[in-house]
Amino acid sequence: MALDVISSPLVNGQKPEFIFVLLHGWGANYHDLTALTSMLNLPSCLYLFPNAPYPHYQVSGGRSWYALENDNEGIEASLDQLYQWLLSLEDTTEIPLSKTIIGGFSQGGAMSLDVGLQLPVAGVVSLSGYLHFQPTAERNPFPPTFISHGILDTVVPIKTAQETKQKLEAVGVNVEYHEFNIAHEIIPAQMHLVRDFVLRIFG
């Protein structure tokens, strides 16, 4: 089962220097995060937006990475599919994983943490995300990881992000962490920090 993916074309058709994979949240689809490219303003970046593999059980046109409503059914298959797809990017794009960042929002942020921290990617970005797993030091070395969360989030409470930070740092992950006075959403100020994070990695 291949992932359906859309991409954002580069300005003037220039060759990309790195990749930013962005994973949408539960009930959204691969169009949901495309507007972030203008906020990120990374001209040499190839943005890839995969569609989650499962239709959402309530939202017409919405997708899910796994069934939150049914005890996370499908999560293992989805994680494996994303893992294998990321490994295949080097062949399809000629850009190595060491120049690939994976990030996402909410359920997509959770997927990014789980899969990204297992791979030699350049960085991981989680916006309003959470952990599926108990991290262990055996996964080292870890890519640098950016976490941002809203303190008013009632969907994924801020305590979840704080615990994620603590657990990751305890096993050696270099975490850049930011809280905002927002709910379950993304604002431009977060994207400016993500842009700085990316530029430090590739600077």
Side-chain angles (χ1 to χ4, degrees):
M1 181 166 62
L3 284 175
D4 192 12
V5 181
I6 58 175
S7 62
S8 181
L10 272 74
V11 178
N12 301 323
Q14 68 186 95
K15 186 173 181 178
E17 297 178 9
F18 59 93
I19 294 172
F20 201 154
V21 175
L22 285 162
L23 309 179
H24 66 79
W26 189 62
N29 60 40
Y30 54 10
H31 294 290
D32 190 54
L33 301 182
T34 56
L36 299 183
T37 60
S38 61
M39 298 184 207
L40 289 167
N41 188 26
L42 298 164
S44 59
C45 177
L46 172 62
Y47 299 96
L48 298 178
F49 304 92
N51 224 15
Y54 305 113
H56 192 272
Y57 80 114
Q58 282 182 323
V59 181
S60 177
R63 310 291 295 181
S64 64
W65 293 99
Y66 49 89
L68 279 172
E69 76 285 359
N70 193 20
D71 199 29
N72 292 352
E73 181 183 1
I75 187 172
E76 293 300 332
S78 189
L79 287 167
D80 183 66
Q81 185 179 4
L82 180 61
Y83 183 91
Q84 297 301 329
W85 176 76
L86 286 165
L87 287 178
S88 75
L89 284 182
E90 291 194 56
D91 290 334
T92 57
T93 66
E94 299 182 350
I95 297 174
L97 279 175
S98 61
K99 291 191 174 181
T100 298
I101 291 177
I102 178 169
F105 174 71
S106 194
Q107 191 182 63
M111 294 289 290
S112 297
L113 289 169
D114 202 329
V115 175
L117 290 172
Q118 297 183 62
L119 289 168
V121 295
V124 177
V125 174
S126 175
L127 305 170
S128 304
Y130 49 93
L131 280 176
H132 296 127
F133 66 99
Q134 180 64 42
T136 62
E138 285 77 32
R139 292 189 180 205
N140 254 327
F142 296 104
T145 299
F146 179 100
I147 295 174
S148 182
H149 215 97
I151 62 174
L152 306 178
D153 194 334
T154 57
V155 178
V156 182
I158 186 64
K159 183 180 178 182
T160 305
Q162 295 166 345
E163 290 175 349
T164 295
K165 174 181 181 289
Q166 292 167 1
K167 289 178 180 178
L168 293 180
E169 288 181 335
V171 297
V173 181
N174 179 13
V175 178
E176 179 178 338
Y177 180 84
H178 300 276
E179 294 181 358
F180 283 85
N181 191 34
I182 58 173
H184 197 64
E185 58 188 312
I186 299 173
I187 60 172
Q190 290 172 294
M191 291 301 97
H192 297 157
L193 291 173
V194 172
R195 182 178 189 273
D196 291 344
F197 173 76
V198 172
L199 292 177
R200 280 197 301 275
I201 290 173
F202 296 120

